[in-house]
Amino acid sequence: MITFRIPLNGLKTSTNLFYVGTHWSKRKELKDSILSYARVFCKKSRAIERWPVSIRYRFIFETRPLDTLNTAILAKMFEDSLCTLEILPDDSPQYVAESILEVIKQGPGKSSPADKKAPKTRPKAKEDWLEIFIIPYEFKPDN
């Protein structure tokens, strides 16, 4: 499993706001900001050995959470950034078979499972985070 943990300082936007009346230059500005964050927080630790993969996007909100599908635009932009950084060769179904969006509202004293593995440099101010988990995809037929 490959894991990335990314603070969402100033990047939090909803899919609704992104498409409703947002000028293309503002959308590009957000996409460029996300790529900058990905360059810092998504370092290629090892090659992915088996394709396709499943990617879980876990959004952890200490501030007001977005609805699950309103995080889709952020997940898409981070996935595009993973392609730009050559962590993923492409985001087509040949390489990414499944994307899972998860939203957690985190209050004081709560922690996510990845907190145990994360560096202990978490800011004290309320902060929103994105954790990205990349694992081999396994097809599970419906019974």
Side-chain angles (χ1 to χ4, degrees):
M1 174 169 38
I2 297 172
T3 304
F4 303 112
R5 185 175 170 93
I6 306 152
L8 293 175
N9 299 333
L11 297 177
K12 184 176 160 183
T13 192
S14 78
T15 303
N16 291 341
L17 289 176
F18 190 75
Y19 283 111
V20 179
T22 302
H23 192 267
W24 69 267
S25 63
K26 290 292 181 188
R27 293 193 303 261
K28 183 180 182 324
E29 185 178 308
L30 177 61
K31 185 176 179 181
D32 291 345
S33 294
I34 287 176
L35 178 57
S36 294
Y37 266 69
R39 283 188 202 286
V40 172
F41 293 98
C42 300
K43 302 290 186 191
K44 189 173 186 176
S45 58
R46 61 186 167 86
I48 296 171
E49 298 173 6
R50 200 170 99 210
W51 303 101
V53 296
S54 173
I55 305 176
R56 176 180 296 272
Y57 298 92
R58 178 179 290 156
F59 291 88
I60 302 167
F61 292 105
E62 291 181 353
T63 65
R64 185 175 179 261
L66 295 174
D67 296 339
T68 303
L69 286 178
N70 274 329
T71 63
I73 194 63
L74 292 170
K76 172 62 176 154
M77 288 184 173
F78 273 104
E79 191 166 299
D80 288 346
S81 294
L82 295 177
C83 292
T84 299
L85 297 173
E86 299 180 348
I87 293 167
L88 299 173
D90 190 67
D91 59 356
S92 68
Q94 177 182 355
Y95 296 103
V96 181
E98 178 178 58
S99 297
I100 301 167
L101 300 175
E102 180 180 13
V103 173
I104 297 172
K105 172 64 176 156
Q106 185 165 307
K110 295 181 184 174
S111 61
S112 76
D115 282 342
K116 293 175 186 170
K117 297 179 184 176
K120 303 299 181 201
T121 58
R122 192 164 182 174
K124 296 193 191 280
K126 284 188 175 184
E127 182 61 87
D128 300 324
W129 293 85
L130 168 60
E131 296 173 343
I132 301 174
F133 304 93
I134 303 173
I135 61 171
Y137 173 73
E138 293 183 28
F139 177 73
K140 296 172 191 137
D142 292 332
N143 291 335

